[in-house]
Amino acid sequence: MKQVAIVMGSVSDWPTMQASATILNELQIPFSKHVISAHRMPAQLQDFGQQAVTRGIDIIIAGAGGAAHLPGMLAANTVRPVIGVPIESHALHGLDSLLSIVQMPAGVPVATMAIGVAGAKNAALQAASMLALQDDQLQQRLLDYRAAQTQKAIESEAQLD
């Protein structure tokens, strides 16, 4: 099975990024968790990105707030796909994070999700879709997950009574 790394700039990002971990657990995708600050740990960030392949990491989900350099800097140091999750900030409610992540220069792509928990969930689902390209069992688990979502939505109509 493939490996996903969840990386965040600060432990304060965990309440958002935990949503990625929950989905990955549900889909039985192995992952690791890391705190690597782009601003306070630049050498560790570079090392992590450059060694992602040898560490068996296939996809990096990177959550960052504020200036949000983490996803882009990781992408600059690895050929592995990086999925950025903008963390909601206090000053600009995550818009600063979103723009910092999504505005990467040509040649250094970062797939960028929505701000906050929805983005963290979708990052895990995007990683699962990418890994499922070569894993039929994971593809089936992803199909089952989507079928369960559909069923919950159908059943939710009863709450309107």
Side-chain angles (χ1 to χ4, degrees), residues 56-76:
I57 296 169
D58 293 309
I59 299 172
I60 298 170
I61 298 174
H69 289 83
L70 179 64
M73 290 305 298
L74 284 169

Side-chain angles (χ1 to χ4, degrees), residues 6 14 17-27 31 121 124:
I6 299 174
W14 180 239
M17 299 310 294
Q18 192 170 13
S20 289
T22 299
I23 300 265
L24 294 172
N25 273 327
E26 188 171 341
L27 294 172
F31 65 93
K121 289 179 179 180

Side-chain angles (χ1 to χ4, degrees), residues 123-134:
L125 292 168
Q126 183 66 42
S129 294
M130 294 164 73
L131 294 170
L133 290 170
Q134 297 182 17

